[in-house]
Amino acid sequence: MFSRRTLMTALAVCTLGLSAPAQAQDKVIKVGTLKLIHGITPYFYDQFTPAGYKVEIVPFETPTDGKNAVVTKSVDFGTFGLAAGTLGAAVGEPVTIIAPQSNGGMAIVVKKDAGIAAFKALKGKRVGILPGTTQEAVFLERLKAEGMTIKDVQSVRVSFSEMAGALERGDVDAYVGAEPGPSISVSKGVGAVLELPYSTPAGSINMVMATHADTLKNDPELVRKFLQMHKSATEFANANRPALVQKAGAVLGLAPAIANLAADNVELVWKIDDAYVGRAKYYGSLMLERKQIRKLPSYDTFIAKGLAP
C-alpha cells in the first residue's frame, strides 16, 4: 500500500514530465575575428542573432590563424585579411569569401624623431611588417610605385598587436600597421602617420568574411541567416559610434579617444558588388606578379556573389 508521500512524489514526477519538455539547445555559430577595431563587427552579432542560435566569438592574433580556423572548420565563419584568403585559395584550400568585413584600417607609421618625412626616406630603415597580410601586399605595391623593392628597407617581422610597442621601444623605425596600432602610436606622441596606403588600384580593400566551401554547399540557410546578421550588425556599428567606441573599450581595451581616432580610419562593410570583385581580382594579380602565389584562385568559387541580403 502506497503512502501519501509516495503518491505525491510520483504525481509530481509525472506532472513535470508532461508540462516541462526538454528544450532544444540553441545552435552555436562560431565566428573567428582578429583583435583589431576593423574586426569588431562580430561582437555586435548577439543583438541580431535569430531565434534558435547563439554566437561564440573566437579571437585570433594573425590573419593566417583566422584563415586556418575556417579551413579546418574550427569556426563556422571567420574574418581576416584578403591576402590570407587569397594565399589559401590559390593553393586549393576550401575558403570562400561570402562578404566583405571592412576596408581601410591600415597606416604606415614612422617614429617622430626618425627623420622620415617622405616614403622614399624609408630606405635603409627598419620597417615592421607582418608577412602574409594585406598590409604587406599593399606596402610592396607602394614600394614598386616609388621605384623601390623590399630589399631597400630592413624588413622586421612584427605582429599587429606588437607594432606600437616596437616603435615606442625603438625596435623599428616604422611599421605598416593595422588599427588600433597607428592610433595608439599617434595618441602617445610616439609616432606619426606617414601615409594611409590606399592610393593603389586595390584601394582600401582589406578584411573579408569567409566560410568553408562545405558550409556554403551543405547549409546555405545558415549562411543566409549569418549574412543577414552580419549586415544588421555592420549597419548598427556604422550608425552608432558611441556603441562602437564602448565595444572597442570592452573587447580591445581601447581608451575612447584612441577608439574614435582608429574608427575614423575604418570602413565597416557587408556587401559584395562588381567593384569589390574587381579590386579583389586586381589584388590577386599583384600577389601573382610578386610570386606570393603561383596561380590565381578560382574566383567563381573563391568569392560567392549574390548572397547578400
Side-chain angles (χ1 to χ4, degrees):
M1 191 171 182
F2 292 105
S3 68
R4 184 174 183 275
R5 177 175 293 179
T6 302
L7 287 171
M8 293 297 290
T9 301
L11 180 61
V13 171
C14 291
T15 302
L16 285 171
L18 292 172
S19 63
Q23 294 184 356
Q25 289 187 335
D26 289 343
K27 177 178 174 58
V28 177
I29 303 174
K30 289 188 176 182
V31 183
T33 189
L34 301 184
K35 300 173 184 178
L36 307 169
I37 195 167
H38 41 304
I40 204 166
T41 307
Y43 289 99
F44 291 102
Y45 287 167
D46 58 355
Q47 300 180 41
F48 307 99
T49 306
Y53 294 86
K54 66 178 181 179
V55 172
E56 178 184 335
I57 304 299
V58 182
F60 292 103
E61 183 69 26
T62 72
T64 301
D65 291 339
K67 183 268 298 178
N68 288 343
V70 168
V71 171
T72 60
K73 300 184 181 179
S74 300
V75 297
D76 300 298
F77 303 94
T79 181
F80 41 80
L82 176 59
T86 304
L87 285 166
V91 295
E93 291 182 339
V95 57
T96 301
I97 296 173
I98 56 172
Q101 157 65 30
S102 59
N103 296 328
M106 299 180 278
I108 301 175
V109 182
V110 299
K111 197 158 189 180
K112 269 197 165 183
D113 58 0
I116 305 172
F119 190 93
K120 286 188 175 181
L122 290 171
K123 188 170 184 177
K125 301 295 185 181
R126 297 165 298 166
V127 181
I129 305 171
L130 183 59
T133 62
T134 307
Q135 283 78 354
E136 180 194 36
V138 169
F139 184 62
L140 291 174
E141 183 67 2
R142 284 293 295 117
L143 286 168
K144 179 182 175 183
E146 297 289 340
M148 301 166 66
T149 72
I150 194 63
K151 294 180 180 179
D152 288 313
V153 301
Q154 298 180 49
S155 178
V156 181
R157 182 189 177 101
V158 187
S159 67
F160 290 138
S161 63
E162 297 172 342
M163 287 182 177
L167 189 74
E168 187 171 0
R169 292 191 302 270
D171 296 341
V172 296
D173 305 302
Y175 64 80
V176 189
E179 295 289 2
S183 294
I184 291 173
S185 294
V186 170
S187 297
K188 285 188 171 185
V190 173
V193 174
L194 179 66
E195 69 172 61
L196 303 179
Y198 308 142
S199 60
T200 75
S204 60
I205 194 169
N206 192 352
M207 291 180 69
V208 303
M209 182 60 72
T211 192
H212 194 287
D214 288 349
T215 303
L216 183 58
K217 177 182 177 182
N218 300 329
D219 202 347
E221 181 62 22
L222 173 64
V223 175
R224 283 192 290 270
K225 289 180 177 179
F226 175 80
L227 286 174
Q228 181 61 59
M229 187 167 58
H230 179 60
K231 172 182 181 290
S232 298
T234 300
E235 292 177 341
F236 175 83
N238 282 331
N240 294 273
R241 176 63 71 88
L244 190 153
V245 169
Q246 188 278 331
K247 188 70 72 174
V251 301
L252 299 175
L254 299 182
I258 294 176
N260 257 313
L261 186 61
D264 287 340
N265 187 25
V266 173
E267 178 190 17
L268 301 178
V269 288
W270 60 268
K271 188 176 182 180
I272 291 176
D273 55 21
D274 289 341
Y276 180 86
V277 175
R279 289 194 296 273
K281 287 183 175 180
Y282 174 80
Y283 191 91
S285 71
L286 293 180
M287 296 183 73
L288 181 65
E289 179 185 323
R290 301 188 197 104
K291 299 182 180 178
Q292 292 174 291
I293 55 177
R294 293 185 178 182
K295 65 177 182 178
L296 292 172
S298 175
Y299 283 98
D300 289 340
T301 54
F302 179 40
I303 301 178
K305 298 184 288 184
L307 296 176

